[in-house]
């Protein structure tokens, strides 16, 4: 251990996410020993770096479509920056973990604009079809690709109903240390798992709040006291393609 | 048939092998071990030399699948510590010829796959902090040379 | 029962080695193409994040599907005891093996990380139909090898029917598995159909027989082996029946899809508005790959069947490629429906019908699979006794005129 203290952001947005009083993320007990991610009062206990994730937490994201502005791209930009997704100017093969989708109802002309990313399904088809088990769902509900064992067959891309995945078509250089990615494997939104494990929120959520949209709420769906759980309980929210029965962790309000 | 084939191959290769032994000049140079930043590595050199991949492999599964983020055998920490500063500023990739990972792997003729995906330089935070080098709390000792 | 004597091919060095050299060049080119794709990344292909499976998959699926069908002739001979087909059993097994190896090679070489094939073979997700297929394919190879062995080793001959039965069941499962690769993709409008599994079985029988007919005709021509007109007519008519079965299941596939309102969009796309896909479907698959060959083989001129049967086989073969292209590529080109009833637009081509242009490396890689299969057959024929001494009608069945009943043609599908 080098004794560094990991940088812990104490931005107001996160404060809010951390809901109630006892929330204190990144308590530094001693040099090199850090308590990460106290998620919410009274529920999931602080997870130390050596503790594995458990299914007592289910990470989820709620998007309030009314607050998402047409033409705003803050979440997408933040994702690209955070995860080092520099493209090669080839939109058909460049990776996109999150995208803005513009909807129009042809009968009424009503327009909607919303971010779409991996929905972190509870029963993810990508995981079911993956021949090697590279696609997997972490105990806390985050769906990831283990690029060490992904063979690049792209079957998961065919299986994902949300077109959430990208294949890396070209050599990647200068990756972010916390977001490894390389040619020949498949990837998708990780909910910024490296940040979540530190008790922070995904980059898109933070960027949305900073841009004044505040359209995204990230948190633990299993914790009745989390902001997201309260909202999901209080308002009508939608999943995309609920008919498929995949129980996505991403929900939309005012869709 | 198979045995004859092997024999033929051996005969073909024999002169090449002999030539390789004759000239010392053509030998692979010994690796240059770049010093880490602190006084000591996370485990002693002999252990690390032999088992670093086992540890990294284990850690990779722990982190990837179970979200365990201890730092002792994290590849990121290896890179942070063993990358050297470039004279022009910033860090040199540990996978560049002559650098920590690469020089030894070149010597042992083992390819490194890690850096096809993983960053081979410390991240921005680390780079920013490079001014404060050497780091205060570090306890790294100089790597002993390979003989 | 009369005993058929078998031989390997001998002589004709120029022709044989010339052909082998040609195939060798094709195989080398395909390896170079694979290396290029691997080295540069898949952006050098026509495949994208929207069309994720392209030409290599089309051709590989063709080869794998045809492989299981190529064994059909052997099954008819040993399992159903049809004397006409019995002497062809060995060739049929050899071809099945070769096609499967060719198809798998293409699939593997297209992987984003083909270097991790060991990972694919040691790490399994047992829920994945794809992983099951890895077992089905390797198992199929083992089964066919055993089947060939019991056919070729005289002491083991009595086990031939049992081995043949296992092989037949195995290949039905295998083709069901291949069809299910698509059937499991619930979200894709084009693939969400139970009929895909039987459709793939029918396709495998017809494409496998077409490949077999072509291999047989080419072999007989190259070696001067006599090929009886009665046998050729039988093979031809059997092909016609199987091609008709494929058409039938295709019709079922589209009609049931039309019935489900949510799939009407993709059906209109494939059947009416899909441009190249619509053309390939109606002209390639239905007309040239179905109706024309059926017409050809049911109006065979007595005594001169070979030319027509070969032509029909070529058409069925090409029609099969068209069909798989429409299923694989067409199914991906049509956009996923995320927001039913809404118009969608995004930077990731949501709601857009994608176009796909296969690149040279992809095609070269796929063609290499066929070359590999052909080369394996040729090496096999040269080194082991796969071919009967004669395929003249009289040698197959002395009463062949009397025996040519209709029941004979109705191969179990
Ligand atoms: S949205 Fe797609 S990639 Fe994400 S978990 Fe669901 S199926 Fe998998
Ligand atoms: S591309 Fe990788 S993650 Fe996706 S199914 Fe294939 S092996 Fe699994």
């Amino acid at each position: 251990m080098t004794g560094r203290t990991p940088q812990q952001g104490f931005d107001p947005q996160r404060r809010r996410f951390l809901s109630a009083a006892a929330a204190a993320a990144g308590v530094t007990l001693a040099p090199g020993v850090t308590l990460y991610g106290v998620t919410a009062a009274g529920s999931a206990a602080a997870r130390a770096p050596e503790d594995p994730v458990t299914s007592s937490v289910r990470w989820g994201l709620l998007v309030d479509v009314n607050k998402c502005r047409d033409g705003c791209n803050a979440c997408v930009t933040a994702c690209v920056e955070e995860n080092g997704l520099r493209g090669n100017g080839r939109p058909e093969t460049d990776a996109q973990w999150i995208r803005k989708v513009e909807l129009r109802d042809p009968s009424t002309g009503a327009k909607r604009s919303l971010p779409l990313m991996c929905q972190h399904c509870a029963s993810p088809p990508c995981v079911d079809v993956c021949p090697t088990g590279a696609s997997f769902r972490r105990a806390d509900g985050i769906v990831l690709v283990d690029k060490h064992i992904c063979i690049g067959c792209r079957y998961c891309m065919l299986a994902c109903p949300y077109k959430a995945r990208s294949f890396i078509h070209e050599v990647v250089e200068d990756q972010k240390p916390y977001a490894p990615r390389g040619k020949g494997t498949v990837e998708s939104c990780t909910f910024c798992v490296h940040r979540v494990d530190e008790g922070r929120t995904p980059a898109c959520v933070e960027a949305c709040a900073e841009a004044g949209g505040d359209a995204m709420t990230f948190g633990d769906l299993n914790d009745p006291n989390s902001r997201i759980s309260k909202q999901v309980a209080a308002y009508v929210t939608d999943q995309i393609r609920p008919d498929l029965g995949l129980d996505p962790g991403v929900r939309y309000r005012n869709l | 048939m198979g045995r004859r084939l092997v024999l033929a191959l051996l005969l073909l290769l024999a002169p090449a092998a002999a030539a390789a032994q004759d000239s010392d000049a053509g030998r692979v140079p010994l690796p240059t071990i770049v010093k880490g930043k602190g006084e000591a590595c996370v485990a002693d050199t002999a252990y690390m030399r032999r088992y670093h991949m086992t540890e990294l492999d284990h850690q990779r599964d722990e982190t990837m699948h179970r979200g365990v983020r201890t730092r002792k055998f994290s590849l990121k920490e290896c890179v942070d510590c063993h990358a050297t500063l470039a004279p022009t500023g910033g860090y040199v990739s540990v996978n560049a010829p002559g650098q920590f990972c690469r020089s030894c792997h070149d010597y042992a003729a083992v390819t490194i796959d890690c850096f096809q995906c993983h960053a081979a330089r410390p991240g921005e935070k680390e780079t920013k902090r490079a001014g404060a080098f050497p780091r205060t709390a570090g306890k790294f000792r100089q790597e002993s040379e390979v003989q | 029962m009369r005993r058929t004597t078998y031989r390997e091919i001998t002589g004709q060095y120029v022709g044989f080695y010339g052909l082998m050299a040609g195939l060798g060049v094709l195989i080398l080119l395909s390896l170079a193409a694979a290396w290029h794709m691997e080295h540069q990344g898949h952006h050098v292909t026509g495949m994208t994040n929207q069309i994720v499976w392209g030409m290599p998959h089309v051709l590989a699926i063709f080869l794998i599907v045809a492989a299981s069908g190529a064994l059909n002739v052997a099954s008819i001979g040993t399992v159903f005891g049809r004397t006409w087909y019995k002497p062809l059993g060995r060739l049929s097994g050899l071809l099945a093996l070769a096609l499967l190896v060719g198809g798998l090679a293409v699939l593997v070489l297209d992987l984003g990380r083909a270097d991790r094939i060991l990972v694919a073979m040691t790490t399994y997700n047992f829920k994945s139909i794809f992983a099951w297929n890895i077992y089905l394919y390797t198992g199929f190879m083992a089964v066919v090898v055993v089947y060939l062995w019991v056919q070729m080793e005289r002491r083991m001959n009595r086990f031939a029917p049992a081995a043949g039965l296992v092989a037949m069941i195995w290949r039905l499962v295998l083709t069901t598995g291949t069809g299910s690769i698509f059937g499991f993709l619930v979200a894709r409008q084009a693939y969400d159909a139970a009929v895909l599994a039987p459709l793939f079985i029918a396709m495998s029988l017809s494409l496998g027989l077409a490949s077999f007919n072509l291999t047989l005709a080419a072999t007989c021509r190259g070696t001067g082996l006599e090929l009886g007109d009665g046998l050729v007519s039988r093979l031809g008519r059997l092909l016609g029946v199987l091609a008709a079965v494929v058409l039938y299941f295709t019709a079922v596939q589209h009609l049931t899809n039309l019935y489900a309102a949510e799939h009407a969009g993709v059906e209109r796309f494939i059947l009416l508005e899909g441009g190249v896909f619509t053309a390939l479907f109606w002209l390639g698959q239905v007309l040239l790959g179905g109706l024309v060959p059926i017409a050809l083989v049911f109006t065979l001129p007595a005594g001169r069947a070979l030319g027509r049967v070969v032509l029909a086989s070529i058409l069925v073969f090409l029609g099969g490629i068209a069909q798989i292209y429409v299923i694989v590529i067409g199914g991906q080109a049509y956009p996923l429906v995320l927001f039913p009833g809404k118009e969608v637009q995004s930077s990731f081509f949501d709601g857009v019908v994608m176009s796909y242009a296969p690149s040279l490396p992809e095609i070269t890689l796929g063609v290499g699979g066929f070359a590999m299969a052909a080369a394996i057959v040729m090496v096999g024929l040269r080194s082991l006794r796969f071919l009967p001494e004669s395929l003249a009608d009289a040698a197959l069945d002395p009463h062949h005129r009397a025996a040519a009943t209709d029941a004979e043609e109705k191969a179990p599908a």
Side-chain angles (χ1 to χ4, degrees), chain A residues 130-132 134-135 145 150-156 165 186:
Chain A
C130 175
T132 63
S135 286
V145 178
C150 170
I151 53 173
C153 68
R154 284 104 80 204
Y155 193 23
C156 55
R165 298 203 146 185
V186 166

Side-chain angles (χ1 to χ4, degrees), chain A residues 90-96 98-107 110 112 114 116 125-135 146-155 157-171 182-185 240-241 243-244 246 252 255, chain C residues 37-50 52-54 57 110-114 116-117 119-120 123-131 134 180-182 184-189 191 262 328 332 336-351 354-355:
Chain A
R90 285 183 268 270
E92 295 191 338
T93 49
D94 285 344
Q96 293 195 27
I98 178 172
R99 60 189 188 266
K100 280 297 292 290
V101 178
E102 320 292 339
L103 301 182
R104 202 183 84 92
D105 189 329
S107 54
R112 284 256 163 278
L114 53 91
L116 190 72
C126 58
V127 173
D128 286 347
V129 302
C130 175
T132 63
S135 286
D146 183 347
K147 287 172 189 156
H148 304 103
I149 50 177
C150 170
I151 53 173
C153 68
R154 284 104 80 204
Y155 193 23
M157 298 177 71
L158 277 177
C160 171
Y162 305 99
K163 232 169 72 153
R165 298 203 146 185
S166 294
F167 180 62
I168 308 182
H169 286 78
E170 301 179 54
V171 174
K183 181 190 69 185
T185 55
I240 300 178
R241 295 282 322 254
D243 56 313
L244 297 173
L246 309 176
Y252 293 83
L255 187 64
Chain C
M37 283 160 58
E38 192 79 15
H39 193 71
Q40 296 288 319
H42 275 63
H43 81 100
V44 297
T45 69
M47 292 178 269
T48 60
N49 282 330
Q50 281 69 39
V52 302
W53 280 1
H57 302 83
D110 172 76
L111 291 178
R113 299 292 313 234
R116 290 194 186 147
I117 185 62
V119 173
T123 333
Y124 286 113
N125 166 20
F126 285 99
K127 262 180 121 179
S128 169
I129 184 76
F130 214 77
I134 298 175
S180 306
I181 286 182
F182 295 96
F184 269 65
L185 303 173
V186 284
R188 300 259 167 189
Q189 310 278 317
Y191 301 146
E262 54 165 334
V328 175
Q332 297 175 80
L336 279 172
V337 178
L338 291 184
F339 303 94
K342 300 271 175 34
E343 289 169 3
V344 289
Q345 201 191 337
S346 82
S347 58
F348 208 53
F349 306 97
D350 281 287
M354 296 305 297
S355 60

